[in-house]
Amino acid sequence: MSGPHRPESLRRPVRLEIDSDAIAANTRLIDAATNADLLAVVKGDGYGHGAETVARAAVRGGARWLGVTGVDEGLRLREAGLAVPILSWLHAGRLDVATAQAECIDVAIGSFEDLADAVRTARGLRVHVLVDTGLAREGFAESDWPRAAELLAAAERRRRIRVVGLMSHLALAEHPGDPANARQRAAFGRAQALMRSAGLAPSILHLAATAATLTAKETPGTLARVGAGLVGIDLSGTHLLDPAMTLTAPLLDVRDVAAGTASGYGHLWRADRDTRLGLVPVGYADGLPAPLHLERRCSCAAVACPWSGRCP
Ligand SMILES: *Cc1c(COP(=O)(O)O)cnc(C)c1O
């Protein structure tokens, strides 16, 4: 009798570990850098680290809010027992108003379609108006702001929705000196003024993500939506955040090669001195993109390789 089939990749002791203390520490560090409340963005399954894991660690580190891209993602956090305020944006398909209301999930509305869904069925739905100020990816375009404000105000008068927030997203936050940032901040100010003149009074204002929160002397807004920074990714390079993910595997083999020896597919890497090479059983079966081997020009993709001293 043969046992159940287990693919070879499951038998190899490759381990992916998530360090939730690092996430909590990153959260604390970012929280200390801003006057705004922190909203921990856990979209994309917590940037591949596990939405629930990142959410719990971020809340432990001081995040007051959680952010998701879909009411269904918010629902999973509620089912996991997370009771802090949640905001959902970028809804794919129809906005699930019923679930958002039942689970106390705030929703971003940045399109007339989402607004129509809310107006049809909502009762006091908490809404953050999403305006495009220059990213040109999501949110009401500036030419649509007057009509959007009018419809939002009408829906609020009918108590369908309550406009509690105004949000936008920056395109060039990793380059704080770029004039595009000032243009987007100015546009955000115009949006705020326009909402006010339509009779709306959003009090939760948010524009910054990781880079803007870490680089701006004063974070614009009362809420900062931070995702990448929680797991240690800081494209602005200003803070030394700790990576929260470690991939490890044992060495399968070690060999000594002479200076000049080419190794691996395509002979893309060549030893410039006598070198000891280690073979680590990690590859595309573990989800690493195969081209990484070539890009790294190294036979031990993406893992520290103390013998050759050549990998990051
Ligand atoms: C992903 C996302 C964020 C988080 O951005 P990071 O750079 O990962 O901190 C913030 N706001 C919006 C609207 C997003 O889509």
Side-chain angles (χ1 to χ4, degrees), residues 41 43 47 89 137-138 167 169 209-210 225-228:
V41 181
K43 66 186 181 190
Y47 295 63
W89 62 89
R137 184 180 83 175
E138 62 206 293
M167 65 186 280
H169 199 29
T210 298
R225 303 180 307 263
V226 172

Side-chain angles (χ1 to χ4, degrees), residues 12 21 52 80-81 110 152 164 180 190 201-202 208 216 223 255 298 310:
R12 286 188 287 106
D21 288 342
E52 192 187 326
L152 287 158
V164 296
R190 287 197 297 280
L223 193 65
R255 72 181 57 219
C298 176
R310 287 206 146 248

Side-chain angles (χ1 to χ4, degrees), residues 39-43 47 68-69 89-90 130 135 137-138 167-170 173-174 206-213 224-230 233 235:
L39 176 148
V41 181
V42 298
K43 66 186 181 190
Y47 295 63
V68 291
T69 47
W89 62 89
L90 277 188
L130 175 53
L135 180 67
R137 184 180 83 175
E138 62 206 293
M167 65 186 280
S168 190
H169 199 29
L170 298 170
E174 293 95 59
H206 39 123
L207 188 58
T210 298
T213 303
R225 303 180 307 263
V226 172
L230 305 175
I233 302 163
L235 295 180

Side-chain angles (χ1 to χ4, degrees), residues 103-140:
E103 301 294 334
C104 299
I105 296 169
D106 288 13
V107 298
I109 288 191
S111 72
F112 291 109
E113 290 75 27
D114 281 352
L115 180 51
D117 284 342
V119 168
R120 205 171 303 120
T121 56
R123 291 247 177 285
L125 178 71
R126 283 169 54 98
V127 165
H128 299 235
V129 184
L130 175 53
V131 288
D132 176 43
T133 55
L135 180 67
R137 184 180 83 175
E138 62 206 293
F140 289 109

Side-chain angles (χ1 to χ4, degrees), residues 43-69:
K43 66 186 181 190
D45 198 22
Y47 295 63
H49 292 62
E52 192 187 326
T53 303
V54 177
R56 277 191 205 296
V59 168
R60 184 152 58 85
R64 299 269 182 87
W65 287 68
L66 296 170
V68 291
T69 47

